[in-house]
Amino acid sequence: MVQIKVYGLAQTLNPIKAELSDIIHAALVKVLQMSPEKKFHRFFPLDKTDFYYPPDRTENYLIIEIIMFEGRAVDTKKHLLQEIFKETHEQLQIAVDDIEITIFETAKHNWGIRGVPGDELNLNYKVEV
């Protein structure tokens, strides 16, 4: 299971939400071997009065949070970060200095999905990649 949250200025984020969602999802499918139909993304377009960031960032600044089951190898997670940085920069021309990504890992038993704890789910993908 992987859920995505993306925060950014509304004026910047709203026009690119669909494309950014596709970029992030393609990276999840490629690197984590997620099923293509498993897309759980939420976008939080913020007003300038609700989004404070350092002066060395631009109005393109994005915060991407990836919440997922624990179990992926460190190299896999690093590859995922690199893929998202690279593709977001190449496809949307957002500088890598304006992209911050945090991965939050949670034990499967701490998730409740479709009426059962996550560790009781029959997944159609591997977590240990």
Side-chain angles (χ1 to χ4, degrees):
M1 181 62 152
V2 178
Q3 294 185 356
I4 304 296
K5 295 180 188 179
V6 180
Y7 303 86
L9 288 175
Q11 67 194 35
T12 304
L13 187 55
N14 283 330
I16 65 166
K17 282 192 286 195
E19 192 171 358
L20 182 57
S21 178
D22 290 344
I23 290 166
I24 294 168
H25 193 63
L28 295 172
V29 170
K30 177 180 177 180
V31 178
L32 299 185
Q33 302 170 15
M34 293 294 302
S35 299
E37 72 279 359
K38 300 291 185 185
K39 191 176 197 180
F40 302 97
H41 299 183
R42 290 166 286 172
F43 288 83
F44 299 87
L46 301 167
D47 186 82
K48 284 185 178 190
T49 61
D50 295 321
F51 194 44
Y52 297 92
Y53 50 86
D56 61 344
R57 303 304 194 281
T58 73
E59 291 186 351
N60 291 327
Y61 180 58
L62 299 172
I63 297 173
I64 301 169
E65 295 180 353
I66 302 170
I67 305 106
M68 63 186 185
F69 288 156
E70 64 186 1
R72 275 83 177 192
V74 171
D75 286 343
T76 300
K77 292 181 279 189
K78 287 181 178 183
H79 183 200
L80 177 63
L81 296 172
Q82 292 165 349
E83 186 73 15
I84 295 171
F85 282 130
K86 176 181 162 291
E87 293 301 324
T88 303
H89 174 68
E90 288 179 5
Q91 295 184 42
L92 297 174
Q93 291 72 54
I94 296 177
V96 295
D97 288 350
D98 276 332
I99 306 165
E100 292 189 15
I101 306 167
T102 305
I103 296 174
F104 297 93
E105 293 183 288
T106 306
K108 290 180 194 175
H109 65 268
N110 287 335
W111 291 65
I113 303 168
R114 296 189 303 273
V116 297
D119 61 344
E120 296 178 16
L121 286 172
N122 290 320
L123 301 174
N124 61 352
Y125 59 89
K126 294 171 68 173
V127 174
E128 293 78 18
V129 293

PDB file of all heavy atoms in Angstrom, residues 91-119:
ATOM      1  N   GLN A  91       9.969  16.569 -16.902  1.00  0.00           N
ATOM      2  CA  GLN A  91       8.653  16.723 -17.516  1.00  0.00           C
ATOM      3  C   GLN A  91       7.944  18.021 -17.152  1.00  0.00           C
ATOM      4  O   GLN A  91       7.153  18.534 -17.941  1.00  0.00           O
ATOM      5  CB  GLN A  91       7.759  15.532 -17.151  1.00  0.00           C
ATOM      6  CG  GLN A  91       8.262  14.224 -17.726  1.00  0.00           C
ATOM      7  CD  GLN A  91       7.321  13.084 -17.445  1.00  0.00           C
ATOM      8  OE1 GLN A  91       6.105  13.233 -17.549  1.00  0.00           O
ATOM      9  NE2 GLN A  91       7.872  11.936 -17.077  1.00  0.00           N
ATOM     10  N   LEU A  92       8.224  18.550 -15.970  1.00  0.00           N
ATOM     11  CA  LEU A  92       7.532  19.763 -15.525  1.00  0.00           C
ATOM     12  C   LEU A  92       8.460  20.962 -15.362  1.00  0.00           C
ATOM     13  O   LEU A  92       8.008  22.032 -14.981  1.00  0.00           O
ATOM     14  CB  LEU A  92       6.802  19.496 -14.204  1.00  0.00           C
ATOM     15  CG  LEU A  92       5.697  18.446 -14.263  1.00  0.00           C
ATOM     16  CD1 LEU A  92       5.151  18.170 -12.869  1.00  0.00           C
ATOM     17  CD2 LEU A  92       4.592  18.891 -15.211  1.00  0.00           C
ATOM     18  N   GLN A  93       9.753  20.769 -15.625  1.00  0.00           N
ATOM     19  CA  GLN A  93      10.754  21.820 -15.497  1.00  0.00           C
ATOM     20  C   GLN A  93      10.761  22.450 -14.106  1.00  0.00           C
ATOM     21  O   GLN A  93      10.964  23.650 -13.937  1.00  0.00           O
ATOM     22  CB  GLN A  93      10.572  22.920 -16.562  1.00  0.00           C
ATOM     23  CG  GLN A  93      10.900  22.477 -17.975  1.00  0.00           C
ATOM     24  CD  GLN A  93       9.865  21.536 -18.566  1.00  0.00           C
ATOM     25  OE1 GLN A  93       8.689  21.850 -18.586  1.00  0.00           O
ATOM     26  NE2 GLN A  93      10.312  20.383 -19.024  1.00  0.00           N
ATOM     27  N   ILE A  94      10.558  21.622 -13.085  1.00  0.00           N
ATOM     28  CA  ILE A  94      10.668  22.084 -11.700  1.00  0.00           C
ATOM     29  C   ILE A  94      12.056  21.699 -11.206  1.00  0.00           C
ATOM     30  O   ILE A  94      12.453  20.535 -11.274  1.00  0.00           O
ATOM     31  CB  ILE A  94       9.571  21.462 -10.813  1.00  0.00           C
ATOM     32  CG1 ILE A  94       8.200  21.953 -11.294  1.00  0.00           C
ATOM     33  CG2 ILE A  94       9.800  21.806  -9.343  1.00  0.00           C
ATOM     34  CD1 ILE A  94       7.035  21.350 -10.555  1.00  0.00           C
ATOM     35  N   ALA A  95      12.782  22.684 -10.726  1.00  0.00           N
ATOM     36  CA  ALA A  95      14.147  22.449 -10.239  1.00  0.00           C
ATOM     37  C   ALA A  95      14.127  21.465  -9.079  1.00  0.00           C
ATOM     38  O   ALA A  95      13.222  21.495  -8.237  1.00  0.00           O
ATOM     39  CB  ALA A  95      14.775  23.765  -9.797  1.00  0.00           C
ATOM     40  N   VAL A  96      15.120  20.589  -9.036  1.00  0.00           N
ATOM     41  CA  VAL A  96      15.178  19.612  -7.950  1.00  0.00           C
ATOM     42  C   VAL A  96      15.304  20.290  -6.585  1.00  0.00           C
ATOM     43  O   VAL A  96      14.884  19.721  -5.575  1.00  0.00           O
ATOM     44  CB  VAL A  96      16.294  18.559  -8.154  1.00  0.00           C
ATOM     45  CG1 VAL A  96      16.002  17.701  -9.369  1.00  0.00           C
ATOM     46  CG2 VAL A  96      17.650  19.200  -8.250  1.00  0.00           C
ATOM     47  N   ASP A  97      15.831  21.501  -6.555  1.00  0.00           N
ATOM     48  CA  ASP A  97      15.910  22.249  -5.291  1.00  0.00           C
ATOM     49  C   ASP A  97      14.524  22.647  -4.785  1.00  0.00           C
ATOM     50  O   ASP A  97      14.365  23.002  -3.620  1.00  0.00           O
ATOM     51  CB  ASP A  97      16.766  23.505  -5.455  1.00  0.00           C
ATOM     52  CG  ASP A  97      18.243  23.194  -5.582  1.00  0.00           C
ATOM     53  OD1 ASP A  97      18.638  22.031  -5.358  1.00  0.00           O
ATOM     54  OD2 ASP A  97      19.008  24.115  -5.914  1.00  0.00           O
ATOM     55  N   ASP A  98      13.522  22.608  -5.651  1.00  0.00           N
ATOM     56  CA  ASP A  98      12.154  22.957  -5.288  1.00  0.00           C
ATOM     57  C   ASP A  98      11.290  21.730  -4.995  1.00  0.00           C
ATOM     58  O   ASP A  98      10.067  21.847  -4.892  1.00  0.00           O
ATOM     59  CB  ASP A  98      11.498  23.779  -6.403  1.00  0.00           C
ATOM     60  CG  ASP A  98      11.821  25.255  -6.311  1.00  0.00           C
ATOM     61  OD1 ASP A  98      12.075  25.748  -5.195  1.00  0.00           O
ATOM     62  OD2 ASP A  98      11.819  25.922  -7.362  1.00  0.00           O
ATOM     63  N   ILE A  99      11.899  20.575  -4.878  1.00  0.00           N
ATOM     64  CA  ILE A  99      11.154  19.345  -4.614  1.00  0.00           C
ATOM     65  C   ILE A  99      11.709  18.695  -3.349  1.00  0.00           C
ATOM     66  O   ILE A  99      12.900  18.439  -3.254  1.00  0.00           O
ATOM     67  CB  ILE A  99      11.283  18.343  -5.789  1.00  0.00           C
ATOM     68  CG1 ILE A  99      10.875  18.980  -7.105  1.00  0.00           C
ATOM     69  CG2 ILE A  99      10.467  17.083  -5.507  1.00  0.00           C
ATOM     70  CD1 ILE A  99      11.303  18.183  -8.325  1.00  0.00           C
ATOM     71  N   GLU A 100      10.834  18.464  -2.391  1.00  0.00           N
ATOM     72  CA  GLU A 100      11.224  17.729  -1.192  1.00  0.00           C
ATOM     73  C   GLU A 100      10.288  16.545  -1.032  1.00  0.00           C
ATOM     74  O   GLU A 100       9.072  16.684  -1.179  1.00  0.00           O
ATOM     75  CB  GLU A 100      11.171  18.621   0.044  1.00  0.00           C
ATOM     76  CG  GLU A 100      12.246  19.700   0.003  1.00  0.00           C
ATOM     77  CD  GLU A 100      12.374  20.476   1.291  1.00  0.00           C
ATOM     78  OE1 GLU A 100      11.843  20.033   2.326  1.00  0.00           O
ATOM     79  OE2 GLU A 100      13.015  21.537   1.246  1.00  0.00           O
ATOM     80  N   ILE A 101      10.871  15.394  -0.775  1.00  0.00           N
ATOM     81  CA  ILE A 101      10.113  14.156  -0.666  1.00  0.00           C
ATOM     82  C   ILE A 101      10.444  13.491   0.664  1.00  0.00           C
ATOM     83  O   ILE A 101      11.617  13.378   1.019  1.00  0.00           O
ATOM     84  CB  ILE A 101      10.472  13.184  -1.821  1.00  0.00           C
ATOM     85  CG1 ILE A 101      10.302  13.860  -3.180  1.00  0.00           C
ATOM     86  CG2 ILE A 101       9.634  11.914  -1.730  1.00  0.00           C
ATOM     87  CD1 ILE A 101      10.917  13.079  -4.334  1.00  0.00           C
ATOM     88  N   THR A 102       9.419  13.062   1.362  1.00  0.00           N
ATOM     89  CA  THR A 102       9.606  12.316   2.600  1.00  0.00           C
ATOM     90  C   THR A 102       8.873  10.996   2.475  1.00  0.00           C
ATOM     91  O   THR A 102       7.719  10.959   2.036  1.00  0.00           O
ATOM     92  CB  THR A 102       9.055  13.088   3.813  1.00  0.00           C
ATOM     93  OG1 THR A 102       9.660  14.374   3.866  1.00  0.00           O
ATOM     94  CG2 THR A 102       9.338  12.348   5.107  1.00  0.00           C
ATOM     95  N   ILE A 103       9.537   9.927   2.860  1.00  0.00           N
ATOM     96  CA  ILE A 103       8.922   8.606   2.893  1.00  0.00           C
ATOM     97  C   ILE A 103       8.618   8.260   4.345  1.00  0.00           C
ATOM     98  O   ILE A 103       9.499   8.299   5.195  1.00  0.00           O
ATOM     99  CB  ILE A 103       9.852   7.540   2.271  1.00  0.00           C
ATOM    100  CG1 ILE A 103      10.078   7.833   0.788  1.00  0.00           C
ATOM    101  CG2 ILE A 103       9.277   6.139   2.478  1.00  0.00           C
ATOM    102  CD1 ILE A 103      11.102   6.922   0.118  1.00  0.00           C
ATOM    103  N   PHE A 104       7.355   7.948   4.601  1.00  0.00           N
ATOM    104  CA  PHE A 104       6.912   7.485   5.919  1.00  0.00           C
ATOM    105  C   PHE A 104       6.552   6.018   5.778  1.00  0.00           C
ATOM    106  O   PHE A 104       5.724   5.659   4.935  1.00  0.00           O
ATOM    107  CB  PHE A 104       5.674   8.261   6.385  1.00  0.00           C
ATOM    108  CG  PHE A 104       5.899   9.725   6.569  1.00  0.00           C
ATOM    109  CD1 PHE A 104       5.632  10.616   5.537  1.00  0.00           C
ATOM    110  CD2 PHE A 104       6.369  10.223   7.770  1.00  0.00           C
ATOM    111  CE1 PHE A 104       5.832  11.980   5.698  1.00  0.00           C
ATOM    112  CE2 PHE A 104       6.571  11.590   7.935  1.00  0.00           C
ATOM    113  CZ  PHE A 104       6.298  12.465   6.901  1.00  0.00           C
ATOM    114  N   GLU A 105       7.173   5.169   6.583  1.00  0.00           N
ATOM    115  CA  GLU A 105       6.884   3.745   6.530  1.00  0.00           C
ATOM    116  C   GLU A 105       6.134   3.323   7.788  1.00  0.00           C
ATOM    117  O   GLU A 105       6.481   3.725   8.892  1.00  0.00           O
ATOM    118  CB  GLU A 105       8.176   2.944   6.432  1.00  0.00           C
ATOM    119  CG  GLU A 105       8.906   3.156   5.123  1.00  0.00           C
ATOM    120  CD  GLU A 105      10.137   2.291   5.041  1.00  0.00           C
ATOM    121  OE1 GLU A 105      11.114   2.596   5.751  1.00  0.00           O
ATOM    122  OE2 GLU A 105      10.101   1.313   4.280  1.00  0.00           O
ATOM    123  N   THR A 106       5.118   2.489   7.572  1.00  0.00           N
ATOM    124  CA  THR A 106       4.280   2.024   8.665  1.00  0.00           C
ATOM    125  C   THR A 106       4.143   0.508   8.579  1.00  0.00           C
ATOM    126  O   THR A 106       4.004  -0.039   7.480  1.00  0.00           O
ATOM    127  CB  THR A 106       2.884   2.680   8.571  1.00  0.00           C
ATOM    128  OG1 THR A 106       3.041   4.093   8.512  1.00  0.00           O
ATOM    129  CG2 THR A 106       2.019   2.331   9.757  1.00  0.00           C
ATOM    130  N   ALA A 107       4.176  -0.138   9.721  1.00  0.00           N
ATOM    131  CA  ALA A 107       3.960  -1.586   9.752  1.00  0.00           C
ATOM    132  C   ALA A 107       2.588  -1.907   9.168  1.00  0.00           C
ATOM    133  O   ALA A 107       1.623  -1.160   9.375  1.00  0.00           O
ATOM    134  CB  ALA A 107       4.065  -2.099  11.183  1.00  0.00           C
ATOM    135  N   LYS A 108       2.493  -3.009   8.451  1.00  0.00           N
ATOM    136  CA  LYS A 108       1.227  -3.392   7.808  1.00  0.00           C
ATOM    137  C   LYS A 108       0.082  -3.481   8.815  1.00  0.00           C
ATOM    138  O   LYS A 108      -1.045  -3.093   8.507  1.00  0.00           O
ATOM    139  CB  LYS A 108       1.386  -4.739   7.095  1.00  0.00           C
ATOM    140  CG  LYS A 108       2.255  -4.700   5.876  1.00  0.00           C
ATOM    141  CD  LYS A 108       2.322  -6.104   5.267  1.00  0.00           C
ATOM    142  CE  LYS A 108       3.431  -6.208   4.255  1.00  0.00           C
ATOM    143  NZ  LYS A 108       3.561  -7.592   3.759  1.00  0.00           N
ATOM    144  N   HIS A 109       0.368  -3.977  10.005  1.00  0.00           N
ATOM    145  CA  HIS A 109      -0.714  -4.143  10.988  1.00  0.00           C
ATOM    146  C   HIS A 109      -1.275  -2.812  11.487  1.00  0.00           C
ATOM    147  O   HIS A 109      -2.314  -2.786  12.134  1.00  0.00           O
ATOM    148  CB  HIS A 109      -0.253  -5.020  12.161  1.00  0.00           C
ATOM    149  CG  HIS A 109       0.849  -4.411  12.971  1.00  0.00           C
ATOM    150  ND1 HIS A 109       2.173  -4.658  12.711  1.00  0.00           N
ATOM    151  CD2 HIS A 109       0.810  -3.566  14.027  1.00  0.00           C
ATOM    152  CE1 HIS A 109       2.918  -3.989  13.581  1.00  0.00           C
ATOM    153  NE2 HIS A 109       2.117  -3.318  14.383  1.00  0.00           N
ATOM    154  N   ASN A 110      -0.615  -1.705  11.183  1.00  0.00           N
ATOM    155  CA  ASN A 110      -1.101  -0.384  11.576  1.00  0.00           C
ATOM    156  C   ASN A 110      -2.025   0.248  10.537  1.00  0.00           C
ATOM    157  O   ASN A 110      -2.465   1.379  10.717  1.00  0.00           O
ATOM    158  CB  ASN A 110       0.076   0.562  11.846  1.00  0.00           C
ATOM    159  CG  ASN A 110       0.787   0.225  13.135  1.00  0.00           C
ATOM    160  OD1 ASN A 110       0.205  -0.363  14.044  1.00  0.00           O
ATOM    161  ND2 ASN A 110       2.043   0.581  13.224  1.00  0.00           N
ATOM    162  N   TRP A 111      -2.296  -0.442   9.448  1.00  0.00           N
ATOM    163  CA  TRP A 111      -3.210   0.031   8.416  1.00  0.00           C
ATOM    164  C   TRP A 111      -4.520  -0.748   8.527  1.00  0.00           C
ATOM    165  O   TRP A 111      -4.510  -1.952   8.785  1.00  0.00           O
ATOM    166  CB  TRP A 111      -2.634  -0.218   7.022  1.00  0.00           C
ATOM    167  CG  TRP A 111      -1.456   0.602   6.651  1.00  0.00           C
ATOM    168  CD1 TRP A 111      -0.223   0.577   7.233  1.00  0.00           C
ATOM    169  CD2 TRP A 111      -1.366   1.555   5.597  1.00  0.00           C
ATOM    170  NE1 TRP A 111       0.623   1.457   6.596  1.00  0.00           N
ATOM    171  CE2 TRP A 111      -0.060   2.065   5.585  1.00  0.00           C
ATOM    172  CE3 TRP A 111      -2.265   2.015   4.651  1.00  0.00           C
ATOM    173  CZ2 TRP A 111       0.372   3.026   4.677  1.00  0.00           C
ATOM    174  CZ3 TRP A 111      -1.834   2.973   3.734  1.00  0.00           C
ATOM    175  CH2 TRP A 111      -0.530   3.468   3.762  1.00  0.00           C
ATOM    176  N   GLY A 112      -5.622  -0.085   8.269  1.00  0.00           N
ATOM    177  CA  GLY A 112      -6.910  -0.748   8.146  1.00  0.00           C
ATOM    178  C   GLY A 112      -7.405  -0.542   6.726  1.00  0.00           C
ATOM    179  O   GLY A 112      -7.603   0.597   6.302  1.00  0.00           O
ATOM    180  N   ILE A 113      -7.566  -1.628   5.971  1.00  0.00           N
ATOM    181  CA  ILE A 113      -7.926  -1.521   4.563  1.00  0.00           C
ATOM    182  C   ILE A 113      -8.994  -2.563   4.241  1.00  0.00           C
ATOM    183  O   ILE A 113      -8.809  -3.748   4.538  1.00  0.00           O
ATOM    184  CB  ILE A 113      -6.688  -1.750   3.661  1.00  0.00           C
ATOM    185  CG1 ILE A 113      -5.588  -0.750   4.011  1.00  0.00           C
ATOM    186  CG2 ILE A 113      -7.060  -1.663   2.187  1.00  0.00           C
ATOM    187  CD1 ILE A 113      -4.242  -1.068   3.391  1.00  0.00           C
ATOM    188  N   ARG A 114     -10.055  -2.125   3.632  1.00  0.00           N
ATOM    189  CA  ARG A 114     -11.150  -3.016   3.218  1.00  0.00           C
ATOM    190  C   ARG A 114     -11.637  -3.906   4.371  1.00  0.00           C
ATOM    191  O   ARG A 114     -11.935  -5.082   4.192  1.00  0.00           O
ATOM    192  CB  ARG A 114     -10.744  -3.847   2.002  1.00  0.00           C
ATOM    193  CG  ARG A 114     -10.479  -3.002   0.766  1.00  0.00           C
ATOM    194  CD  ARG A 114     -10.282  -3.817  -0.498  1.00  0.00           C
ATOM    195  NE  ARG A 114      -9.227  -4.801  -0.461  1.00  0.00           N
ATOM    196  CZ  ARG A 114      -7.938  -4.560  -0.765  1.00  0.00           C
ATOM    197  NH1 ARG A 114      -7.558  -3.348  -1.117  1.00  0.00           N
ATOM    198  NH2 ARG A 114      -7.056  -5.538  -0.727  1.00  0.00           N
ATOM    199  N   GLY A 115     -11.678  -3.332   5.574  1.00  0.00           N
ATOM    200  CA  GLY A 115     -12.252  -4.031   6.715  1.00  0.00           C
ATOM    201  C   GLY A 115     -11.330  -4.952   7.486  1.00  0.00           C
ATOM    202  O   GLY A 115     -11.779  -5.628   8.421  1.00  0.00           O
ATOM    203  N   VAL A 116     -10.037  -4.982   7.114  1.00  0.00           N
ATOM    204  CA  VAL A 116      -9.095  -5.853   7.824  1.00  0.00           C
ATOM    205  C   VAL A 116      -7.786  -5.109   8.083  1.00  0.00           C
ATOM    206  O   VAL A 116      -7.457  -4.146   7.384  1.00  0.00           O
ATOM    207  CB  VAL A 116      -8.791  -7.159   7.037  1.00  0.00           C
ATOM    208  CG1 VAL A 116     -10.046  -8.001   6.870  1.00  0.00           C
ATOM    209  CG2 VAL A 116      -8.164  -6.879   5.699  1.00  0.00           C
ATOM    210  N   PRO A 117      -7.001  -5.567   9.048  1.00  0.00           N
ATOM    211  CA  PRO A 117      -5.664  -5.003   9.229  1.00  0.00           C
ATOM    212  C   PRO A 117      -4.809  -5.303   7.993  1.00  0.00           C
ATOM    213  O   PRO A 117      -4.974  -6.338   7.341  1.00  0.00           O
ATOM    214  CB  PRO A 117      -5.117  -5.737  10.453  1.00  0.00           C
ATOM    215  CG  PRO A 117      -6.319  -6.254  11.169  1.00  0.00           C
ATOM    216  CD  PRO A 117      -7.330  -6.544  10.092  1.00  0.00           C
ATOM    217  N   GLY A 118      -3.911  -4.396   7.676  1.00  0.00           N
ATOM    218  CA  GLY A 118      -3.077  -4.525   6.482  1.00  0.00           C
ATOM    219  C   GLY A 118      -2.271  -5.802   6.412  1.00  0.00           C
ATOM    220  O   GLY A 118      -2.008  -6.305   5.317  1.00  0.00           O
ATOM    221  N   ASP A 119      -1.887  -6.347   7.557  1.00  0.00           N
ATOM    222  CA  ASP A 119      -1.091  -7.578   7.523  1.00  0.00           C
ATOM    223  C   ASP A 119      -1.932  -8.810   7.204  1.00  0.00           C
ATOM    224  O   ASP A 119      -1.398  -9.901   7.027  1.00  0.00           O
ATOM    225  CB  ASP A 119      -0.303  -7.771   8.816  1.00  0.00           C
ATOM    226  CG  ASP A 119      -1.168  -7.897  10.051  1.00  0.00           C
ATOM    227  OD1 ASP A 119      -2.375  -7.552  10.004  1.00  0.00           O
ATOM    228  OD2 ASP A 119      -0.639  -8.337  11.089  1.00  0.00           O
TER     229      ASP A 119
END
